[in-house]
Amino acid sequence: MGSNSSRIGDLPKNEYLKKLSGTESVSENDPFWNQLLSFSFPAPTSSTELKLLEEATISVCRSLVENNPRTGNLGALIKVFLSRTKELKLSAECQNHIFIWQTHNALFIICCLLKVFICEMSEEELQLHFTYEEKSPGSYNSDSEDLLEELLCCLMQLITDIPLLDITYEISVEAVSTMVVFLSCQLFHKEVLRQSISHKYLMRGRCLPYTSKLVKTLLYNFIRQEKPPPPGTHVLPQQSDGGGLLYGLASGVATGLWTVFTLGGVGSKVAAASELSSPLANQSLLLLLVLANLTDAADAPNPYRQAIMSFKNTQDSSPFPSSIPHAFQINFNSLYMALCEQQTSDQATLLLYTLLHQNSNIRTYMLARTDMENLVLPILEILYHVEERNSHHVYMALIILLILTEDDGFNRSIHEVMLKNITWYSERVLTEISLGSLLILVVIRTIQYNMTRTRDKYLHTNCLAALANMSAQFRSLHQYAAQRIVSLFSLLSKKHNKVLEQATQSLRGSLSSNDVPLPDYAQDLNVIEEVIRMMLEIINSCLTNSLHHNPNLVYALLYKRDLFEQFRTHPSFQDIMQNIDLVITFFSSRLLQAGAELSVERVLEIIKQGVVALPKDRLKKFPELKFKYVEEEQPEEFFIPYVWSLVYNSAVGLYWSPQDIQLFTMDSD
């Protein structure tokens, strides 16, 4: 940059950056600021581009860290930005491109500087840097207005109040990103922050009144998925000579216009299409998740979580209870459609989980929809492609299904929705299948994948809980779904026999050698038997409550009847086997009476006739299977690192050096 500079490598030598970070104080009224802020280059669109920029400017930032206590130039830059934002709304209405362009540049520099400051010092030291003014070395004005709080409030106003136009798109993205940076101190702590200066500012004082408006705006940014304007249209038209934005207008703007330079092409890093298509939507969603997962203050709950828990549909005319703070209304239909369309990303799935789990208004609305397949199918696709997803994304998708299956209406309705040609399901061609049967197939596949790969008990438990919740409402199960239920039981049975055999051999070996430690086969056996019992309870629940609706399941049980023999007399399964044994014996007898060489169609016909003849009072009643999702006692220990890993790994927005991160291990999911 500068009059003769066009490469990133020249930035540390740039005269304006050197003056900003140097030993000389610059008054906020100095013409220097017009010169500093009159640069133009394509905004970074990926972490790769931001990394290049950070590496080129880190020396400048560190120089400012060292000299700011004597110069107060950081505070002066922030005051210049704050003074300009007071006229920003009017500038947008008047299409004042140059004023908005320079204000954006000021915020861009502030964001870059803050990121380095937060990485290199404590919050207390950062707060002190906001108080330094042009005085004797190290002095500061403790009576001045809190500049840090004023900047945060200004960012919230900018996000919520400035109309979203082509010329304001980039400054809106930058405002959201800067708020994320303000909260990024969490990245540099191994433990979850429960008391933080940035949290304090956001949860009380001047920022608090903006809570509901900010959450609403961030949600609408996610809903609208506004794409950035084409390059060159967001500030001023591209010059015909290709010299870059505003190039050649220096005399009208400042005496030393920065030369245009390029950080790299948009395609320099492969990024998720949804993130690149709308940086504002992506950054807004990340900020919303960060705010929603802030820990409660000692004397007050997180207001942003309160807002997320309580907002209502715009069509709901009932008054808000006076006890609910930060309440607002939003169009639920638009939100639902956006959630259905965006489930390819972790953050959209996490938002769906958050809303379903915490906002009863949203949960009730979604469960009443008649097009639930639009939401459920993307969730099933996440689980189906489990090999390509990180474990957290899979967990969120699974918990969403568990929450949905807590509702009997949902469990009934999914069997009434017929689907055709599910192209992403490759194990078998499914020309027509109910949503309920497809859900069963995908959950069983997830269990089988987990048994052979990850062996995660938590994942097993939630998969089985979802199946158990649905079991009493199984209706017209597809023959392939019925087969897979019995096939899963077959797999568990084989695993049980294998572990039992290993335990027996191990016991024999222990008689001849007392020195070798024995594997804990008893614990393995106990876990497998728990899962087997759960599967038997699921089958039993279906037979007890909806036998007449599921001839395909009876057919599958009869076809593999030998599987169940060994469990009839097993003390852990005797009670639950009674009904299954009764059904198998009853229908086997009717098939024997019908003769040999029966076709599939004839067997199904005999089963349907037999269902009417089977005395229902002979089936033993068991308590209804109902499992409810309960969040961990300290959910923040999971969710805060997860959210910040999403911020860190986002294809657009911000870059942090991996060696500086303390909150999570960089090579983990």
Side-chain angles (χ1 to χ4, degrees):
M1 294 182 183
S3 57
N4 298 310
S5 172
S6 61
R7 294 185 300 109
I8 294 178
D10 294 329
L11 287 177
K13 304 172 188 174
N14 181 269
E15 58 179 294
Y16 302 113
L17 289 178
K18 286 173 72 175
K19 185 172 182 179
L20 172 67
S21 61
T23 56
E24 179 187 344
S25 294
V26 184
S27 164
E28 57 195 271
N29 300 314
D30 196 302
F32 160 79
W33 298 110
N34 274 342
Q35 299 168 341
L36 174 72
L37 302 179
S38 296
F39 66 87
S40 179
F41 58 84
T45 56
S46 73
S47 295
T48 301
E49 295 173 359
L50 283 158
K51 179 182 179 182
L52 292 173
L53 179 63
E54 176 158 314
E55 289 172 348
T57 56
I58 189 68
S59 61
V60 173
C61 296
R62 286 174 176 164
S63 178
L64 183 62
V65 169
E66 181 181 346
N67 294 319
N68 187 61
R70 292 182 293 278
T71 65
N73 283 348
L74 175 65
L77 171 62
I78 290 169
K79 288 175 183 176
V80 168
F81 168 72
L82 292 174
S83 67
R84 287 172 176 271
T85 55
K86 292 172 184 173
E87 302 174 46
L88 199 57
K89 193 171 183 179
L90 180 61
S91 298
E93 293 170 358
C94 299
Q95 296 283 301
N96 190 335
H97 294 247
I98 292 176
F99 188 88
I100 294 170
W101 161 60
Q102 289 190 328
T103 308
H104 164 268
N105 289 349
L107 183 55
F108 179 76
I109 294 173
I110 289 169
C111 187
C112 291
L113 292 172
L114 278 176
K115 197 152 65 65
V116 176
F117 273 63
I118 289 170
C119 178
E120 303 221 340
M121 64 186 68
S122 68
E123 280 195 294
E124 290 74 19
E125 290 175 290
L126 175 66
Q127 190 176 30
L128 205 55
H129 271 275
F130 274 77
T131 64
Y132 292 133
E133 295 184 354
E134 182 186 356
K135 289 186 176 182
S136 57
S139 64
Y140 59 92
N141 186 353
S142 59
D143 298 326
S144 65
E145 191 168 11
D146 194 325
L147 198 59
L148 200 159
E149 183 178 34
E150 191 175 352
L151 178 57
L152 270 173
C153 284
C154 176
L155 292 173
M156 295 174 89
Q157 287 177 306
L158 200 161
I159 293 167
T160 57
D161 294 348
I162 301 303
L164 189 59
L165 309 168
D166 279 359
I167 58 173
T168 61
Y169 189 95
E170 281 194 4
I171 196 170
S172 296
V173 174
E174 205 62 50
V176 175
S177 295
T178 306
M179 282 202 69
V180 173
V181 167
F182 257 119
L183 293 160
S184 67
C185 53
Q186 175 64 80
L187 280 172
F188 311 107
H189 292 79
K190 289 184 178 180
E191 305 296 327
V192 168
L193 287 178
R194 300 184 184 279
Q195 289 186 329
S196 163
I197 291 172
S198 55
H199 295 187
K200 181 190 73 174
Y201 282 121
L202 288 169
M203 291 191 186
R204 63 193 71 191
R206 294 169 57 193
C207 292
L208 190 61
Y210 294 100
T211 297
S212 58
K213 197 171 183 181
L214 178 62
V215 172
K216 183 176 182 178
T217 301
L218 295 175
L219 277 171
Y220 269 125
N221 286 347
F222 167 71
I223 290 169
R224 289 167 180 149
Q225 295 289 316
E226 292 281 359
K227 293 177 172 55
T233 62
H234 56 298
V235 182
L236 284 175
Q238 188 82 16
Q239 299 301 299
S240 58
D241 62 2
L245 308 179
L246 303 179
Y247 196 74
L249 301 179
S251 58
V253 180
T255 57
L257 183 68
W258 292 26
T259 304
V260 177
F261 80 106
T262 304
L263 288 172
V266 173
S268 60
K269 178 180 178 181
V270 177
S274 60
E275 294 182 12
L276 287 178
S277 66
S278 181
L280 180 60
N282 180 67
Q283 295 297 89
S284 295
L285 178 52
L286 291 172
L287 175 57
L288 181 64
L289 293 172
V290 169
L291 292 171
N293 287 282
L294 294 177
T295 54
D296 294 337
D299 56 348
N302 177 349
Y304 303 94
R305 189 181 302 121
Q306 286 185 311
I308 286 170
M309 290 171 65
S310 59
F311 71 83
K312 298 195 306 184
N313 195 352
T314 48
Q315 295 181 347
D316 186 346
S317 58
S318 61
F320 280 104
S322 57
S323 59
I324 298 180
H326 316 299
F328 64 92
Q329 290 179 289
I330 203 166
N331 187 308
F332 277 15
N333 181 62
S334 299
L335 179 57
Y336 178 81
M337 297 303 291
L339 286 166
C340 292
E341 292 167 3
Q342 300 300 321
Q343 285 307 307
T344 52
S345 73
D346 279 65
Q347 45 265 45
T349 305
L350 181 53
L351 176 64
L352 175 57
Y353 159 79
T354 302
L355 296 177
L356 275 175
H357 178 53
Q358 297 185 0
N359 190 314
S360 59
N361 300 321
I362 278 282
R363 186 166 59 252
T364 301
Y365 173 85
M366 288 186 177
L367 289 168
R369 295 279 305 204
T370 57
D371 60 348
M372 276 297 286
E373 67 273 17
N374 292 334
L375 187 69
V376 175
L377 281 172
I379 298 300
L380 294 183
E381 197 168 351
I382 292 168
L383 292 175
Y384 185 79
H385 296 296
V386 59
E387 302 93 337
E388 303 167 16
R389 305 290 182 180
N390 69 71
S391 59
H392 289 359
H393 199 183
V394 172
Y395 282 145
M396 289 299 100
L398 195 51
I399 292 169
I400 287 166
L401 288 185
L402 181 55
I403 292 171
L404 293 174
T405 61
E406 291 171 12
D407 183 77
D408 285 340
F410 171 83
N411 295 331
R412 282 191 297 271
S413 65
I414 55 175
H415 292 287
E416 297 166 3
V417 177
M418 298 307 297
L419 307 168
K420 293 187 177 181
N421 301 317
I422 308 300
T423 54
W424 48 262
Y425 194 95
S426 59
E427 271 89 346
R428 179 166 172 158
V429 176
L430 300 175
T431 53
E432 187 173 60
I433 189 171
S434 71
L435 179 60
S437 288
L438 181 64
L439 197 159
I440 292 166
L441 284 175
V442 172
V443 171
I444 287 176
R445 184 180 184 275
T446 306
I447 294 172
Q448 290 179 323
Y449 174 83
N450 187 50
M451 285 175 65
T452 57
R453 305 284 183 87
T454 54
R455 300 184 182 182
D456 187 325
K457 186 180 177 182
Y458 181 80
L459 194 144
H460 253 24
T461 302
N462 283 284
C463 283
L464 291 167
L467 288 177
N469 284 346
M470 294 188 292
S471 59
Q473 309 291 339
F474 284 172
R475 294 288 188 278
S476 304
L477 289 183
H478 190 280
Q479 62 180 28
Y480 186 51
Q483 289 171 19
R484 299 310 295 163
I485 290 172
V486 178
S487 294
L488 175 57
F489 185 81
S490 174
L491 186 65
L492 291 167
S493 175
K494 290 175 183 175
K495 195 169 182 64
H496 178 267
N497 293 340
K498 183 179 178 181
V499 173
L500 197 59
E501 184 181 344
Q502 288 172 335
T504 304
Q505 291 175 352
S506 176
L507 191 60
R508 288 173 186 159
S510 68
L511 298 176
S512 58
S513 175
N514 295 323
D515 300 329
V516 182
L518 295 174
D520 191 358
Y521 289 116
Q523 185 178 357
D524 289 349
L525 202 60
N526 184 52
V527 170
I528 293 170
E529 288 185 354
E530 282 181 12
V531 176
I532 287 175
R533 180 170 179 88
M534 190 78 158
M535 280 303 300
L536 289 172
E537 287 180 343
I538 289 166
I539 294 170
N540 178 71
S541 174
C542 176
L543 297 179
T544 307
N545 293 283
S546 53
L547 176 66
H548 55 297
H549 288 299
N550 292 292
N552 284 328
L553 180 60
V554 176
Y555 183 98
L557 292 173
L558 292 171
Y559 191 75
K560 292 283 189 177
R561 71 191 82 174
D562 294 343
L563 275 177
F564 300 89
E565 281 295 323
Q566 63 175 307
F567 299 105
R568 290 175 64 188
T569 56
H570 195 293
S572 299
F573 311 119
Q574 265 184 318
D575 59 335
I576 205 72
M577 274 297 301
Q578 287 181 28
N579 288 340
I580 298 171
D581 190 38
L582 173 65
V583 169
I584 289 174
T585 304
F586 177 82
F587 285 100
S588 294
S589 172
R590 294 184 75 90
L591 290 177
L592 281 173
Q593 293 172 16
E597 303 297 327
L598 299 174
S599 66
V600 173
E601 292 75 15
R602 178 60 182 146
V603 171
L604 286 171
E605 185 183 337
I606 292 168
I607 290 170
K608 290 173 184 176
Q609 293 169 351
V611 166
V612 180
L614 178 67
K616 301 296 184 293
D617 57 351
R618 291 178 60 188
L619 293 173
K620 182 182 177 182
K621 291 291 182 183
F622 286 85
E624 184 182 8
L625 291 179
K626 271 298 170 188
F627 293 88
K628 192 173 180 65
Y629 168 67
V630 179
E631 203 168 61
E632 297 291 327
E633 285 187 12
Q634 292 186 308
E636 65 275 6
E637 297 291 342
F638 169 84
F639 286 104
I640 289 177
Y642 180 30
V643 169
W644 279 106
S645 72
L646 297 181
V647 175
Y648 178 87
N649 290 308
S650 177
V652 297
L654 300 163
Y655 168 80
W656 286 274
S657 179
Q659 61 263 29
D660 296 326
I661 305 300
Q662 298 291 317
L663 183 60
F664 44 79
T665 306
M666 297 315 304
D667 59 357
S668 67
D669 278 339

